[in-house]
Amino acid sequence: MTDTDALPPGTDPDKASVARMYDAMLGGEHNFAIDREAVAAVTAIDPQVRTLARANRAFLGRAVRFLADSGVRQFIDLGSGIPTQGNVHEVAQAANPRARVVYVDKDPVAVAHSTTLLADNPYADIVDADIRRPADVLASPQMRELIDFDQPVAVLMVAILHFVAPEENPADIVAAFRDALPEGSWLALSHATNQDRPDTAAAVTRLYRSRATSPVTVRSHQEIKDLFTGFELTEPGLVHVPLWRPDEHEDIPENPSEYWVYAGVGRKSG
């Protein structure tokens, strides 16, 4: 994507978008020069940031496959971002062609590309909404049409809650979605941490605050674990992102704490 392309309404080309930055980290094409410049600045702080982004994306795929194998047929992907390889509906519908997926994002580029991608898919759709307003998300026509809240649902909050500031009450956001789910539903979550590399995390936090559309709030292992209140973590618990049920062919990093993102999957316990 070039900066001369027709931009979706609401796009700010003068500020790096966290969705477009993530797309750039993953090697996507739906980003602007300002996003790539911001990613270069993050890379100067942590040279393996692209590796970390790929590890986070790989976790999403493994989590969706695990949930599909566990019988889940409905997925809500909050803060879904710009479509790239291994989208949730692709992974879920490979296991069950009638699996239903609702994506949620407020980035205009992410919504526009998702709308185009899903135009011919009757079992997947995108909601243009802010996850900070769970009631609006849950009441959306797409959600009412595709998701049956009498059956288990997997809510995916992958690399999104660290864009929710403390005063915006991330725990309350998780609780609002949790309370809408029937017993036997699931939460998959990954979140940046200051647990192991506080200096790196602090520097990246400052950069996002000054250059991106959303600031970052990193949290400790315990603070992230507390977001799973009402869910029982499945093995191996809340771990560094490459350590969550890696595929046999995936390399286990020698120093997993260098991947300063924790990931986990939990089942609603009641």
Side-chain angles (χ1 to χ4, degrees), residues 22-23 25-30 53-54 56-62 64-65 77 80-92 103 117:
Y22 190 51
D23 178 69
M25 291 177 190
L26 293 171
E29 300 178 350
H30 304 304
R54 290 193 295 270
N56 185 74
R57 188 71 182 180
F59 160 71
L60 173 63
R62 295 195 306 273
V64 172
R65 288 196 299 273
D77 187 2
S80 50
I82 295 169
T84 185
Q85 292 183 342
N87 297 300
V88 171
H89 72 280
E90 294 169 336
V91 178
Y103 296 100
L117 177 68

Side-chain angles (χ1 to χ4, degrees), residues 78 104 127 129-144 149 172-178 180:
L78 299 173
V104 180
V127 177
D130 191 329
I131 72 160
R132 296 172 182 83
R133 296 192 291 273
D136 293 346
V137 174
L138 292 166
S140 65
Q142 299 93 324
M143 200 73 68
R144 293 199 303 270
F149 284 94
D172 288 351
I173 293 171
V174 177
F177 286 102
R178 180 198 66 215

Side-chain angles (χ1 to χ4, degrees), residues 224-235:
I224 299 168
K225 189 175 182 180
D226 288 345
L227 295 171
F228 281 94
T229 298
F231 296 90
E232 182 177 350
L233 280 163
T234 188
E235 291 294 331

Side-chain angles (χ1 to χ4, degrees), residues 18 22 27 53 109 133 139 144 159 178 184 191 200 221 232 267 270:
V18 296
Y22 190 51
V109 174
R133 296 192 291 273
R144 293 199 303 270
R178 180 198 66 215
H191 195 298
T200 297
H221 184 274
E232 182 177 350
R267 189 173 186 269

